[in-house]
Amino acid sequence: MPLTVRAALLPMLALALAMPAAAQDSNSASKKRKPLDPNETVCKTEDVLGSRLAKRRTCMTRAQWAERQHNDRELVEKTQTQQCTAMGGTCGAN
């Protein structure tokens, strides 16, 4: 093998061997993380529906954010699985 090919392959090999070690380090760091406090107040900036520029800042505890996300998900699932009763069961068919 020519020297230039070896010189090009050597850094790639070193990088490939280092990747699993770096991934393992990040996994161990995430396991050491302490659980988040559900009573901690978290503020989020949300877009205002119907406006491209307006923003709204909402502050709630982590537990309230989790409950809101759960309720929103339930509403979406209910809406997606609900029968088309408003249109007499036709679901838009002509």
Side-chain angles (χ1 to χ4, degrees), residues 34-62:
K34 62 181 178 179
L36 299 174
D37 180 16
N39 296 320
E40 180 183 0
T41 301
V42 177
C43 296
K44 296 182 181 181
T45 303
E46 302 172 311
D47 295 331
V48 175
L49 187 63
S51 174
R52 291 184 291 151
L53 303 175
K55 305 282 185 197
R56 179 184 311 132
R57 186 169 171 89
T58 307
C59 297
M60 293 190 277
T61 65
R62 290 188 189 277

Side-chain angles (χ1 to χ4, degrees), residues 14-30:
L15 182 63
L17 292 175
M19 288 288 226
Q24 187 177 22
D25 290 342
S26 66
N27 287 340
S28 64
S30 65

Side-chain angles (χ1 to χ4, degrees), residues 83-94:
Q83 294 288 331
C84 297
T85 56
M87 300 178 70
T90 59
C91 295
N94 293 334

Side-chain angles (χ1 to χ4, degrees), residues 6-19:
R6 286 184 193 168
L9 290 178
L10 188 59
M12 286 187 228
L13 179 61
L15 182 63
L17 292 175
M19 288 288 226

